[in-house]
Amino acid sequence: MGEQALPAGRDVIIGRDSELDRLSALVVGGAGDGGRVLLLSGAAGMGKTTLLEYAARRAEQAGRRVLRASGRESESNLAFAALHQLLRPVLDETAHLPDRQRRALLGAFGFAADTPDPLLTGVAVLTLLSQVAERAPLVVVLDDAQWIDPASADVLAFAARRLDDDPITLLAALRDLTPRPLDAAGFPTLTLGPLDDAASRRLLDLRAPGLTGRIRERVLDQAAGNPLALLELAAHAPLASDDHGPLPVGERLAAGYAARLAELPEAARRALVLLAAADAEDPPDAVLALLPDADDKIWPAVEESGLVRRAGRHLRFRHPLVRSAIYHATPFDARLHAHRTLAGALRDEPDRRAWHLAAAALHPDAEVSAALERTAARARRRGGYAAAAKALARAAELRPDRRESARLLTDAAASAVLTGDLPWVEELAGQARTRTDDPAVLATAALHVGRLSALTRRHAATFDELAGIAGDLALTHPDIALDALAGTAVLRFYSGEESQRQEIDRLLPRLPATPLREWARVVSDPFGTGREAASRLPALMAAAGRDHGADDRRETGLRADAGNSPERLTALAVAAWVLDETPLAVRTFDAAVRSWRSSGPLPDGLGGVVALACFEYGRWDQARALCAELGALPAAARLHHAVACAHAIEAMVVAAQGDTVTARALADEALRLVDPLESRSVAVYAHRALTTAAMAEGDYEAAYEHLRGVFGPAGDPVHYHASHPALPDLAESAARTGRRAEAVEAVERAARVLAGGGSPRLRGLVHRGRALLAGPERAEEEFLAALAVPELERWPFEHAQALLEYAQWLRRRRRIAEARPFLTSAYDTFRRLGARPWSERAQAELRAAGLDVGPADPGALSRLSPQQQQIVRLAARGLTNREIGERLFLSPRTVGSHLYRTFPKLGVTARSQLRDVVEAAGADGGW
């Protein structure tokens, strides 16, 4: 029987892109192509049936004829049963076979008195398939081929080896570790391994979106990348009664394996139960030593059961679901005995011993609870925050003292914050609230929830809660109050709400004067009262850099007592970035990120600001990588603001690179995920991306309309920090669409706001805006004022835009010699960044100025990946992205993305230049 399968559409087949491409190439090849054979091999549940269904569907969509058969264990001893199933739809066409072949084939099926002749039967099948393929290319699909009867398998293998001249494709799926008759024919085999972690998580997002962190991580761990196991365990995981041991499976599976278990000798059964209860790392010899009546016959009997397989010194269950089924088919008392036995044998491995003791504990036990708390501390030092949270939560269940239990649950919530799973943090905090009325513990639990809630849509409500904590505990617990204040500053930045800045200003005098209080002031009001902290940043960062890593705590904000820890480095870098000290911020982020990653993943709230800093600093590839990591957060975590922020920032990058279709899709998705009034920063980034996309296409009318989401109707910035960098875009689009007066008012309003506390960068952007709107008598003065700001070079894209704008102004006044150096510098920067539309404009200006720019490195083509080389060569021939995609079985969007990434590497800015690159590199490789 075939495996459980997802629908056959490519968009819901997760983690099998290369396999899908290979199958598409096979079944949708040219009609005149010769025969092709491919075996799909893999464990049960790896998706072989799903891939076959996809291939059959693709073949039918392409006008191919498809014949199907599926092996059945119950028919594996019936000669020619599978062959009859396969050919039944075309048996009428046997009338056109030569008489001897027809009688041989019908004799094999019992429709004629002739004794089957294997050779003649094979020839008949080959002839029949060729006849069918004459009208349309044919695809033969065989599922569960390990159960195909040997007679059918021999005939089909005979035919498959002779398909060279016929447009016939044969695809067969065979399960690992079972008899595989077709495999002996030596055909090409595609082995399906486990899904990687990212694909496993995407599959759970699609099929089990409500699965929360604790259970979700257990499912991911125990399924080991097997798609069927992921879905089966996810379906029954909520029924789990504890946090240790295998997750339950459905009753049918459990009953089936219980029956097989009952057939084994008693010692073998106890050995399997021990293996099911044990950690995967336990070698079988160690488990065997725990059996008082063990002998050398136990493990052969266990292996012969077909339930396990040996892998070096280890025994592994043949399928992830086998372990779960055996464990839950075992009586409860026997499972407890197995855990106690294992705990007794693991005295030198305290972490595993603690979990086995916890699994066997039926009542509160302070000693086991303390052992789990020590396990959590060790996990946290290794960056295992989910493991630490799980251990602390179980320790809380076993701690007899309710106040101590509440503390452990609060600590568990703190570790769970770093997993990004808000429902889990809320669950742990809720459990803590039921065990204590201590205001400090309750506030700390709420603070942990608030740290992740800041990354959702609930900014106003979360701000009010954190501000309340800061005010209520300012006198009695100032450390907690300062942490809460830091959280309100982050929320103020996300929302851009002016009333929140006023509330923070009201709270500041009530709290002790610490670096954390200054940090909150900077983030909340960087161009007002926070500006005075800018001069102290280098010294603070130098001190943090000397000692970072001294504190093992991991929080998303700067703790009042954090010392010179990675979170302190992070917070200082954030302050530097907010104050437009971007080079300092990037260097400090580099140190902080290295420190975070040395012990685990980045906090979910950090990726967005680091990506923004990298974008501004010209590290666009790094910015996109961080956005991809953040954008992959599971939907169940509800961190919509964080995901939207990633999409908006990536949209800004790809818009500047000229991939306007992708930019619009990302920006639109970002705007869909958030409330623009609750997440003004993200909304502004998304509208800036849409503005850049429109300007890349020369549509300045659309650009001006998008800027209404960056500057309000009266020209006021929508966000106190995120809007100002778009001032030159506002000026240029207004100048090109006849709206100079409106834009002049917005630029001058910004100039007044920034006059006292604005950064040199922002003052340079004001000069650029004025230059683009000014008349001839003032424009040059403003351009030179902008370019005279030395700090502007720290933002390479903005600096190159200023150079290009001034050079264009010079060339239009026929000051060509003066324009050339500015154009050359701008062009070099745009090309290095991969800002294709702007590099094309700079190149056009250079040509108009009497200079020509061509590919810089003829050998660059050979340094591209093979697939990128194919795309470049086909594009050089004049093929469109869609035509290239059809040839290489890629989407047009993927082709376009590859081209945009290769342009700067090849030193070109236009598709028309690719022919020169290919010719310079030599022969076109047959493409």
Side-chain angles (χ1 to χ4, degrees):
M1 189 167 181
E3 303 166 34
Q4 293 183 12
L6 291 171
R10 180 171 184 144
D11 57 336
V12 293
I13 300 178
I14 306 297
R16 300 295 189 199
D17 290 349
S18 62
E19 291 87 348
L20 293 172
D21 288 342
R22 185 168 178 182
L23 288 172
S24 291
L26 281 172
V27 301
V28 192
D33 292 350
R36 290 153 295 189
V37 180
L38 181 66
L39 307 184
L40 297 180
S41 171
M46 282 297 180
K48 301 183 296 294
T49 296
T50 299
L51 290 174
L52 288 183
E53 290 178 358
Y54 169 80
R57 182 175 174 182
R58 283 285 285 128
E60 289 172 339
Q61 290 172 342
R64 274 55 170 157
R65 176 77 180 270
V66 178
L67 294 178
R68 295 179 174 88
S70 182
R72 294 182 175 87
E73 189 172 7
S74 60
E75 296 183 359
S76 60
N77 293 319
L78 298 179
F80 297 110
L83 187 64
H84 179 261
Q85 182 190 162
L86 178 73
L87 298 181
R88 187 176 178 184
V90 294
L91 281 180
D92 289 348
E93 300 190 32
T94 58
H96 303 294
L97 293 176
D99 185 60
R100 290 184 63 214
Q101 294 181 27
R102 182 179 62 79
R103 284 189 287 108
L105 186 56
L106 295 179
F109 297 152
F111 299 150
D114 296 55
T115 300
D117 180 330
L119 178 60
L120 199 54
T121 303
V123 173
V125 169
L126 180 60
T127 305
L128 179 60
L129 294 177
S130 298
Q131 287 179 181
V132 173
E134 286 178 358
R135 291 187 294 279
L138 177 64
V139 178
V140 176
V141 176
L142 306 173
D143 199 5
D144 279 328
Q146 71 276 0
W147 302 125
I148 287 178
D149 60 277
S152 296
D154 289 344
V155 168
L156 289 170
F158 173 88
R161 282 191 290 265
R162 292 161 174 79
L163 295 177
D164 294 341
D165 298 322
D166 294 289
I168 300 173
T169 299
L170 187 148
L171 304 175
L174 307 103
R175 187 176 300 175
D176 279 346
L177 308 173
T178 54
R180 309 200 304 172
L182 274 179
D183 200 25
F187 295 120
T189 300
L190 177 61
T191 300
L192 300 184
L195 299 179
D196 62 24
D197 183 65
S200 296
R201 292 177 185 277
R202 290 201 304 275
L203 181 59
L204 284 185
D205 287 344
L206 179 68
R207 296 298 295 272
L211 210 60
T212 58
R214 174 186 55 178
I215 299 178
R216 175 187 171 88
E217 294 303 316
R218 290 180 69 191
V219 168
L220 288 164
D221 178 60
Q222 295 183 23
N226 184 288
L228 177 63
L230 282 165
L231 301 181
E232 176 73 16
L233 294 176
H236 299 93
L239 304 176
S241 59
D242 56 52
D243 281 339
H244 192 65
L247 290 163
V249 295
E251 292 182 5
R252 180 181 62 83
L253 269 175
Y257 284 114
R260 295 176 68 177
L261 191 64
E263 297 172 355
L264 295 172
E266 171 65 19
R269 289 202 299 273
R270 285 191 289 116
L272 281 174
V273 173
L274 275 174
L275 274 178
D279 293 325
E281 291 80 7
D282 291 327
D285 294 342
V287 177
L288 177 61
L290 304 178
L291 301 172
D293 54 350
D295 57 42
D296 293 339
K297 296 180 180 179
I298 289 181
W299 292 118
V302 170
E303 291 186 67
E304 288 171 9
S305 71
L307 298 173
V308 296
R309 60 184 175 85
R310 187 174 289 276
R313 294 180 59 248
H314 297 266
L315 280 185
R316 296 282 186 262
F317 287 100
R318 290 193 181 277
H319 195 279
L321 296 177
V322 175
R323 181 192 181 210
S324 293
I326 288 177
Y327 184 83
H328 290 281
T330 301
F332 182 69
D333 289 345
R335 298 206 301 265
L336 293 183
H337 178 72
H339 285 296
R340 291 190 190 106
T341 301
L342 289 163
L346 293 169
R347 296 188 182 278
D348 295 332
E349 299 188 49
D351 294 341
R352 290 159 66 195
R353 181 173 187 270
W355 273 112
H356 283 300
L357 289 172
L362 298 177
H363 306 287
D365 188 317
E367 289 186 9
V368 176
S369 175
L372 283 172
E373 189 174 3
R374 292 190 293 271
T375 288
R378 286 186 288 269
R380 205 162 39 229
R381 285 195 293 271
R382 296 191 301 269
Y385 301 104
K390 186 173 74 169
L392 288 166
R394 181 60 174 145
E397 292 175 358
L398 294 172
R399 188 64 58 96
D401 185 295
R402 290 180 64 82
R403 184 173 58 184
E404 278 293 289
S405 176
R407 177 189 63 79
L408 289 170
L409 285 166
T410 303
D411 289 347
S415 289
V417 165
L418 274 299
T419 71
D421 194 311
L422 178 59
W424 192 14
V425 177
E426 291 173 330
E427 176 188 339
L428 292 166
Q431 291 174 1
R433 285 192 289 269
T434 66
R435 286 169 165 79
T436 186
D437 56 2
D438 184 329
V441 175
L442 296 176
T444 302
L447 182 57
H448 295 321
V449 174
R451 285 191 172 110
L452 271 187
S453 295
L455 302 178
T456 70
R457 297 187 182 102
R458 306 198 311 256
H459 290 160
T462 305
F463 179 92
D464 291 342
E465 184 166 7
L466 294 183
I469 292 172
D472 293 344
L473 300 186
L475 295 177
T476 59
H477 297 85
D479 290 349
I480 298 175
L482 282 165
D483 279 346
L485 180 71
T488 62
V490 171
L491 285 158
R492 147 71 172 159
F493 184 90
Y494 290 162
S495 70
E497 176 58 49
E498 176 62 15
S499 64
Q500 293 179 357
R501 181 193 63 77
Q502 295 169 2
E503 176 65 11
I504 291 171
D505 285 349
R506 187 184 70 80
L507 290 169
L508 284 167
R510 302 174 59 185
L511 294 166
T514 67
L516 182 54
R517 192 183 75 166
E518 290 304 298
W519 185 88
R521 188 193 304 274
V522 167
V523 173
S524 172
D525 191 17
F527 306 130
T529 59
R531 186 70 202 171
E532 62 193 46
S535 61
R536 299 195 298 275
L537 278 175
L540 289 171
M541 289 185 179
R546 284 193 297 271
D547 300 319
H548 86 271
D551 194 323
D552 286 323
R553 281 184 304 272
R554 298 246 312 183
E555 304 291 349
T556 52
L558 175 64
R559 293 184 57 85
D561 59 350
N564 291 322
S565 60
E567 51 265 55
R568 182 177 179 83
L569 273 177
T570 298
L572 290 170
V574 168
W577 175 76
V578 168
L579 292 168
D580 276 337
E581 298 290 339
T582 300
L584 195 58
V586 170
R587 290 197 301 272
T588 312
F589 275 136
D590 285 345
V593 168
R594 284 195 300 271
S595 184
W596 288 115
R597 291 200 189 279
S598 68
S599 57
L602 289 178
D604 295 317
L606 181 58
V609 65
V610 179
L612 272 167
C614 289
F615 170 59
E616 292 177 351
Y617 201 51
R619 296 183 181 179
W620 289 4
D621 288 343
Q622 188 176 349
R624 292 194 68 179
L626 287 162
C627 289
E629 184 177 325
L630 187 58
L633 285 172
R638 308 201 305 266
L639 307 184
H640 301 298
H641 173 92
V643 175
C645 184
H647 291 334
I649 297 165
E650 185 174 9
M652 288 198 290
V653 178
V654 298
Q657 291 174 325
D659 187 356
T660 57
V661 173
T662 302
R664 289 193 180 94
L666 288 167
D668 289 344
E669 179 64 10
L671 292 170
R672 186 190 69 79
L673 285 171
V674 298
D675 178 344
L677 296 180
E678 294 255 349
S679 296
R680 286 188 181 90
S681 57
V682 167
V684 167
Y685 297 141
H687 284 295
R688 281 173 55 186
L690 293 170
T691 298
T692 302
M695 295 179 76
E697 296 174 339
D699 188 349
Y700 292 94
E701 190 70 43
Y704 192 84
E705 290 303 313
H706 290 309
L707 283 162
R708 294 186 183 279
V710 181
F711 299 93
D716 296 311
V718 170
H719 187 275
Y720 67 94
H721 187 274
S723 291
H724 289 126
L727 281 170
D729 292 340
L730 176 68
E732 182 174 10
S733 58
R736 290 175 179 265
T737 57
R739 297 180 174 93
R740 288 179 183 271
E742 301 172 31
V744 165
E745 178 59 30
V747 170
E748 293 308 317
R749 184 181 288 108
R752 291 191 293 272
V753 170
L754 299 172
S759 66
R761 172 205 181 190
L762 293 182
R763 291 196 291 274
L765 294 177
V766 168
H767 285 302
R768 272 183 63 198
R770 285 171 169 167
L772 291 165
L773 294 168
E777 65 284 352
R778 283 195 54 208
E780 185 166 20
E781 176 187 346
E782 295 293 347
F783 275 129
L784 292 174
L787 292 171
V789 177
E791 291 85 354
L792 190 57
E793 294 185 11
R794 300 172 182 175
W795 294 268
F797 185 52
E798 293 175 4
H799 184 236
Q801 286 177 305
L803 292 171
L804 176 60
E805 290 159 359
Y806 181 44
Q808 288 174 319
W809 187 90
L810 289 172
R811 194 185 64 78
R812 291 191 190 106
R813 280 146 188 82
R814 304 190 180 218
R815 295 162 62 180
I816 293 173
E818 295 176 68
R820 285 173 179 167
F822 296 109
L823 287 172
T824 300
S825 180
Y827 174 71
D828 289 343
T829 300
F830 290 139
R831 191 178 64 178
R832 175 177 59 81
L833 293 173
R836 181 181 56 82
W838 281 265
S839 63
E840 289 178 353
R841 290 174 192 174
Q843 186 179 47
E845 290 286 337
L846 281 167
R847 286 174 176 159
L851 298 175
D852 198 8
V853 182
D857 182 4
L861 183 64
S862 63
R863 293 192 289 273
L864 301 180
S865 70
Q867 186 179 63
Q868 289 174 332
Q869 291 183 43
Q870 294 174 27
I871 291 171
V872 166
R873 285 169 173 143
L874 291 171
R877 289 184 172 188
L879 274 68
T880 65
N881 289 359
R882 182 172 297 280
E883 290 168 338
I884 296 170
E886 289 173 354
R887 289 203 182 194
L888 301 181
F889 305 104
L890 301 170
S891 70
R893 175 176 167 177
T894 298
V895 173
S897 179
H898 276 300
L899 284 173
Y900 290 129
R901 288 199 297 271
T902 58
F903 274 20
K905 297 176 183 178
L906 297 174
V908 303
T909 58
R911 208 178 182 103
S912 58
Q913 296 171 280
L914 293 177
R915 180 179 294 276
D916 295 335
V917 172
V918 171
E919 289 177 354
D924 69 359
W927 292 97

